[in-house]
Amino acid sequence: MIATDSKVLLSLRGVKAFYGNIAALKGVDLDIREGEIAALIGSNGAGKSTLMMTIFGDPRAREGVISFDGRDITSMPTHAIARLGLAQSPEGRRIFPRMTVFENLQIGAAIGDPRYFDASLERVYAIFPRLKERSGQSGGALSGGEQQMLAIARALMNRPRLLMLDEPSLGLAPLVVKQIFEAIADLNRREGLTVFLVEQNAYHALKLADRAYVMVNGLITLSGPGRDLLAMPEIRAAYLEGGR
Amino acid sequence: MSKRCEPPATFAPAPEASPLRDRLRSALIGAAKAAGVALGLAFPLLAYRTETDFSNALVLQERWAAVAAIALAAFVVRLICLLIPGRTKAASSPRRRRAEFAAIVARSRRLISAAGLASLIAFPLVVLVLLGPARSLKWIDSYGIQILIYMTLGWGLNIVVGLAGLLDLGYVAFYAVGAYSYALLSTNFGWSFWASLPIAGLLAALWGVALGFPVLRLRGDYLAIVTLAFGEIIRIVLTNWTDLTNGEAGVSSIPRVSFFGLPFIAGPEGFAAHFGLAYSPIYRVIFLFYLALALALLTNFVTLRLRRMPLGRAWEALREDEIACRSLGINTVAVKLAAFALGALVGGLAGAVFAARQGFVSPSSFTFIESATILAIVVLGGAGSQLGVALAALFIIGGSELLRELDWLQHIVGEGFDPTQYRMLIIGFALIVIMNWKPRGLIANRTPSVFLAEPRLAAPALAEEGRV
Ligand SMILES: Nc1ncnc2c1ncn2[C@@H]1O[C@H](COP(=O)(O)OP(=O)(O)O)[C@@H](O)[C@H]1O
Ligand SMILES: [Mg+2]
């Protein structure tokens, strides 16, 4: 477990975001420290995906401040934010279905230093050997689990400092979910990669998380170490029973 | 995915004829359905006709023969369509057959390209030897050069539509900018073709960026409408800015292209005299042919190279998912502008060659139908495929030129028949047939998202939320 006094990598203060006039984020405060796994749980429609996209500037925060590594990124263009070392596996994975696995990974490394491409490729193939087997296959022809692996691998190709994952377990078989979460935990443990995990199925996420946030209706209502939250009866009732 | 059970293993395998009979039966049923629909349509439209008889009273005339003929025609046509191999849904494994076909195409693609290139290089000389200077002029000029210009335009637009997936209906604007650049620079300032060519390309590219900026946030239909408007705006400006462009009357006596300074003229200063040849306009046309060929090949070469470079990959990714691109750090603004600029640059260069070929430009050469033709070449070719675009240019431009020469049809159809009147109709019909037969274009390796015919394979959750 990571010491709680490590440096804050990503911080949100009073972030509000809207779709038209409808508020999706109503003043979110959140800190992610270097080297930790942070989890955000909440029911469908709570605003988790919006939060992730708002960090990337789309939709843009209408109020509040988002800073990464001490730098204000609130009004930066999305691609510039990505270049600072944030990467995401977005909701729905959004891999490029008509491009091969290898080409997907190439796009993932588009902004990286080409000298490190081979090393990055080796690294993600080591994490997800399945992708190496499928490297010539088109992304759309992969199974759901493989597509999720590809989305994560693609995000890793830029050697990010913060990896954000939006519901990586969605629609996957329990065994595949376990595999993916193990890979994430491994990345964190071995390489010290900071991970921000958004999940609706909270069990695995909370078990893994050094720090967890609960989002209800566009607001963070609760936060604390994942295992503490996992033990709380109201959390169990709201997010776990039947959920896992 | 069919739930039909396989026959138990103990049964003898079904005789070979059975699938054929099945197919015949389903084809007959399909044809009968088509006939039924035709009957239903023909009855209210055709069955009765009101006529005034000699006493000026309305009478109903029955036309059952016409109704029957329509229904029969529908039956026969549908039956033929369904029986042509590879067209029926019942065909055993269309997917595998398609894969086999794709593999054959992929293997022979190199061969086809090489053969095509060789025949393009040999074309003017072969025609010259076979037909002599006087009669080969038409073939090298109207067919050869024109097809090459459209091939170049097709490849240029292919960068925007096929690779980057941005539907541009106003591509002719850049062609016009290039053509007028050379026309005006040469007639007003006496610039040579070679000096004007890069300027024509650069100006067109500049306009490409100018168009690109306002449409950056637009997608799909909206983008198409704005680019359409842009094409019209350029044409209308060219029509109305009479001080500069001479309006509808156009710019004439644009200098012909020279052989690196040697003019193609009859005098002792001319190209022919210099090389000890008898003067003939054919040399200029042949030179222009190779010029157009060089431009086309350059376009093709650059595109093929770019495709394998990060920019080309980014275009392809952009076509599939813009949001994903952005969150991977790709500057989608720059990538899109690069596509517009490069496509426009090619259009501008082709425009300069066009002006040099015609010796005359006017706004009427740059109407929407030109944009549509170029887009048709790209789509028909299988957007994204270089070889497909080349074949489509050959087919559409060559075909529509050939249709100018159908005078002999008059002997069959009758004196009053003017085949050129039906050119666009025939071309349109041919396009419909081909697109029906190969919806992804002649040579499709990857389907671009603009012409999506099936639901996306990934990100169903996003599609549900309407975010795609
Ligand atoms: N593109 C959009 N346009 C309008 N409203 C949206 C859009 N995306 C999400 N919302 C709304 O914002 C709220 C939060 O959605 P979302 O962030 O997707 O929730 P979660 O990821 O927690 O399920 C929901 O009420 C949802 O309906
Ligand atoms: Mg979500």
Side-chain angles (χ1 to χ4, degrees):
Chain A
M1 205 137 288
I2 300 296
T4 46
D5 57 350
S6 69
K7 194 174 82 178
V8 172
L9 195 57
L10 181 79
S11 104
L12 282 77
R13 288 288 172 270
V15 169
K16 295 185 182 174
F18 296 76
Y19 291 109
N21 289 325
I22 300 160
L25 302 179
K26 301 169 181 167
V28 172
D29 296 331
L30 183 143
D31 281 328
I32 296 171
R33 287 169 189 277
E34 196 143 46
E36 73 179 1
I37 295 182
L40 178 68
I41 63 170
S43 52
N44 197 9
K48 305 181 298 295
S49 299
T50 305
L51 178 65
M52 232 178 88
M53 291 310 289
T54 301
I55 294 169
F56 270 85
D58 176 27
R60 209 159 273 297
R62 213 181 275 180
E63 271 178 52
V65 177
I66 307 171
S67 54
F68 179 71
D69 199 17
R71 191 152 166 191
D72 186 350
I73 61 167
T74 320
S75 50
M76 262 192 201
T78 301
H79 66 92
I81 294 171
R83 280 163 198 238
L84 293 178
L86 278 85
Q88 65 167 333
S89 153
E91 177 167 54
R93 293 151 202 162
R94 283 187 176 271
I95 56 155
F96 303 114
R98 288 189 181 78
M99 304 177 85
T100 64
V101 168
F102 178 75
E103 287 165 345
N104 267 274
L105 296 174
Q106 269 187 320
I107 297 288
I111 57 170
D113 187 331
R115 275 175 303 172
Y116 299 133
F117 178 77
D118 290 336
S120 300
L121 195 65
E122 279 309 305
R123 172 179 172 231
V124 299
Y125 280 164
I127 300 168
F128 301 114
R130 189 80 72 79
L131 293 181
K132 188 169 187 175
E133 292 161 27
R134 306 270 149 131
S135 67
Q137 210 166 329
S138 72
L142 300 179
S143 72
E146 289 162 345
Q147 288 192 0
Q148 184 57 56
M149 293 174 193
L150 178 56
I152 296 173
R154 188 181 64 178
L156 288 172
M157 288 301 286
N158 275 335
R159 313 198 149 248
R161 298 175 60 195
L162 172 60
L163 176 67
M164 317 212 296
L165 306 167
D166 195 342
E167 305 214 28
S169 73
L170 192 68
L172 302 184
L175 201 65
V176 183
V177 174
K178 198 159 159 269
Q179 234 177 327
I180 285 177
F181 275 93
E182 268 166 16
I184 295 168
D186 227 40
L187 272 167
N188 172 261
R189 219 177 306 121
R190 275 205 255 145
E191 305 186 13
L193 181 70
T194 315
V195 178
F196 183 28
L197 188 57
V198 170
E199 268 296 338
Q200 194 178 323
N201 291 352
Y203 176 73
H204 283 288
L206 290 180
K207 225 173 67 176
L208 221 61
D210 301 300
R211 180 183 310 275
Y213 296 88
V214 179
M215 180 171 250
V216 178
N217 229 337
L219 279 171
I220 303 287
T221 54
L222 200 62
S223 69
R227 282 177 191 280
D228 292 3
L229 261 60
L230 202 51
M232 290 164 86
E234 62 266 39
I235 296 289
R236 299 193 74 95
Y239 302 108
L240 292 177
E241 309 300 276
R244 48 182 287 203
Chain B
M1 286 282 211
S2 98
K3 294 214 164 153
R4 218 184 311 144
C5 296
E6 293 297 323
T10 46
F11 281 10
E16 278 297 302
S18 152
L20 196 75
R21 226 177 45 212
D22 274 1
R23 213 163 102 199
L24 191 65
R25 213 185 57 178
S26 70
L28 281 172
I29 293 172
K33 279 184 194 159
V37 171
L39 210 62
L41 280 173
F43 175 70
L45 291 174
L46 277 179
Y48 292 101
R49 185 189 162 100
T50 50
E51 290 270 3
T52 45
D53 65 3
F54 46 86
S55 60
N56 242 1
L58 276 179
V59 292
L60 271 183
Q61 196 186 15
E62 298 182 6
R63 303 195 298 177
W64 297 110
V67 173
I70 291 286
L72 188 68
F75 183 84
V76 170
V77 169
R78 186 73 187 134
L79 191 64
I80 291 171
C81 284
L82 287 173
L83 283 180
I84 289 174
R87 282 297 296 147
T88 47
K89 291 240 167 65
S92 55
S93 61
R95 180 174 296 209
R96 186 195 301 169
R97 191 174 301 170
R98 207 174 297 151
E100 278 167 10
F101 181 73
I104 292 171
V105 169
R107 255 181 281 132
S108 48
R109 197 171 290 183
R110 214 161 243 281
L111 203 69
I112 296 173
S113 304
L117 181 60
S119 41
L120 275 177
I121 292 173
F123 174 75
L125 304 176
V126 170
V127 172
L128 190 61
V129 168
L130 287 182
L131 298 176
R135 279 172 58 221
S136 56
L137 197 66
K138 178 190 83 187
W139 286 99
I140 301 175
D141 189 38
S142 310
Y143 287 83
I145 300 179
Q146 210 180 327
I147 289 172
L148 284 174
I149 289 178
Y150 278 92
M151 204 181 277
T152 311
L153 289 169
W155 279 336
L157 183 61
N158 192 27
I159 297 173
V160 183
V161 176
L163 298 188
L166 305 162
L167 187 51
D168 184 349
L169 293 183
Y171 189 63
V172 75
F174 311 122
Y175 187 41
V177 167
Y180 268 88
S181 299
Y182 173 49
L184 294 175
L185 284 172
S186 61
T187 52
N188 290 335
F189 304 108
W191 284 39
S192 75
F193 175 79
W194 294 104
S196 311
L197 189 64
I199 306 292
L202 282 180
L203 281 177
L206 218 61
W207 279 108
V209 175
L211 166 68
F213 260 114
V215 302
L216 278 173
R217 301 204 166 276
L218 303 179
R219 320 209 62 203
D221 334 7
Y222 300 103
L223 175 68
I225 290 169
V226 175
T227 54
L228 174 66
F230 185 78
E232 286 300 284
I233 288 170
I234 294 268
R235 189 176 60 82
I236 290 166
V237 167
L238 289 175
T239 308
N240 291 317
W241 194 354
T242 40
D243 293 342
L244 182 71
T245 65
N246 201 21
E248 283 289 4
V251 182
S252 51
S253 54
I254 300 168
R256 300 299 195 162
V257 69
S258 66
F259 186 78
F260 305 105
L262 266 185
F264 290 97
I265 50 172
E269 246 85 282
F271 170 85
H274 191 268
F275 286 94
L277 301 162
Y279 170 76
S280 162
I282 195 74
Y283 299 125
R284 178 178 55 78
V285 173
I286 291 178
F287 179 64
L288 205 58
F289 177 92
Y290 283 114
L291 182 74
L293 181 60
L295 179 63
L297 292 181
L298 181 73
T299 308
N300 182 39
F301 176 75
V302 170
T303 310
L304 286 178
R305 284 308 293 267
L306 277 176
R307 277 177 97 151
R308 270 182 244 122
M309 301 206 316
L311 180 62
R313 284 265 183 271
W315 282 335
E316 228 175 309
L318 189 71
R319 196 174 75 187
E320 301 219 339
D321 195 327
E322 197 175 331
I323 294 176
C325 279
R326 238 179 277 136
S327 64
L328 290 169
I330 291 170
N331 184 347
T332 52
V333 170
V335 169
K336 275 189 192 181
L337 285 182
F340 273 120
L342 208 65
L345 174 83
V346 172
L349 296 177
V353 174
F354 169 79
R357 172 187 170 236
Q358 303 278 98
F360 166 74
V361 293
S362 79
S364 61
S365 303
F366 307 106
T367 52
F368 170 67
I369 192 72
E370 292 298 314
S371 292
T373 304
I374 304 164
L375 187 65
I377 288 173
V378 173
V379 175
L380 180 71
S385 159
Q386 296 293 101
L387 179 58
V389 168
L391 292 177
L394 185 71
F395 173 79
I396 292 186
I397 304 304
S400 70
E401 278 301 312
L402 273 179
L403 286 176
R404 287 183 201 278
E405 310 195 15
L406 294 183
D407 296 342
W408 52 271
L409 270 181
Q410 287 182 352
H411 300 301
I412 301 171
V413 186
E415 270 311 304
F417 181 74
D418 179 6
T420 53
Q421 300 270 319
Y422 295 89
R423 246 177 80 223
M424 292 320 273
L425 190 71
I426 295 172
I427 294 275
F429 188 72
L431 278 180
I432 291 172
V433 169
I434 292 178
M435 291 317 283
N436 228 335
W437 167 56
K438 285 199 142 306
R440 294 167 178 203
L442 291 175
I443 297 181
N445 32 4
R446 287 178 178 145
T447 327
S449 40
V450 235
F451 305 109
L452 209 56
E454 56 192 358
R456 305 182 75 130
L457 294 163
L462 289 157
E464 275 162 29
E465 289 179 24
R467 283 206 203 159
V468 169

